[in-house]
Amino acid sequence: MSAYIVAEVTITNEEQMKAYREWSTRAMQEFGAEVLVRGGRVVPLEGDWNPQRVVILRFPDLATAQAYYHSETYTKAREVRRGAGTIRMFAVEGV
């Protein structure tokens, strides 16, 4: 079953976040992530949730999504991102 990583991103330092995106892109490529959403306009439809930026990645399975998150490359991405904004992220199985 496919798995998805969904992230809500708030950027406070655009230059630093660019470096994070370079490292996170490397990790996505290493683990075969399919980028479904990476940025784009957000239009709230219900409730008070209005994220600045949304990212949705698809992986072959939950184990691969977790391996991506805990990988050396994505760990480096998280280190580079520190102080550049906030991210709320989860992995979920689905079709």
Side-chain angles (χ1 to χ4, degrees), residues 4 7 12-13 18-19 23 27 32 39 45 47 66-68 70 76 78 85-86 89 94-95:
Y4 302 83
T12 57
N13 182 324
K18 284 180 187 176
W23 279 98
L45 299 175
Q66 291 174 301
Y68 157 84
H70 295 292
K76 174 66 175 177
R78 290 195 314 272
T86 59
M89 180 185 302
V95 292

Side-chain angles (χ1 to χ4, degrees), residues 5 12 18 24 27-28 30 47 51 64 74-76 80 85 93:
I5 287 183
T12 57
K18 284 180 187 176
S24 65
M28 287 181 233
E30 287 175 17
T64 305
Y74 193 70
T75 296
K76 174 66 175 177
V80 167
E93 289 181 315

Side-chain angles (χ1 to χ4, degrees), residues 19-74:
Y20 161 76
R21 281 193 292 269
E22 290 175 16
W23 279 98
S24 65
T25 296
R26 290 180 197 169
M28 287 181 233
Q29 292 168 345
E30 287 175 17
F31 288 87
E34 179 182 355
V35 178
L36 301 178
V37 175
R38 195 174 193 186
R41 191 167 65 134
V42 175
V43 178
L45 299 175
E46 190 170 329
D48 61 359
W49 188 35
N50 189 14
Q52 181 185 60
R53 182 176 172 87
V54 175
V55 176
I56 302 174
L57 307 175
R58 180 172 34 210
F59 294 87
D61 51 48
L62 188 57
T64 305
Q66 291 174 301
Y68 157 84
Y69 182 80
H70 295 292
S71 71
E72 186 176 319
T73 305
Y74 193 70

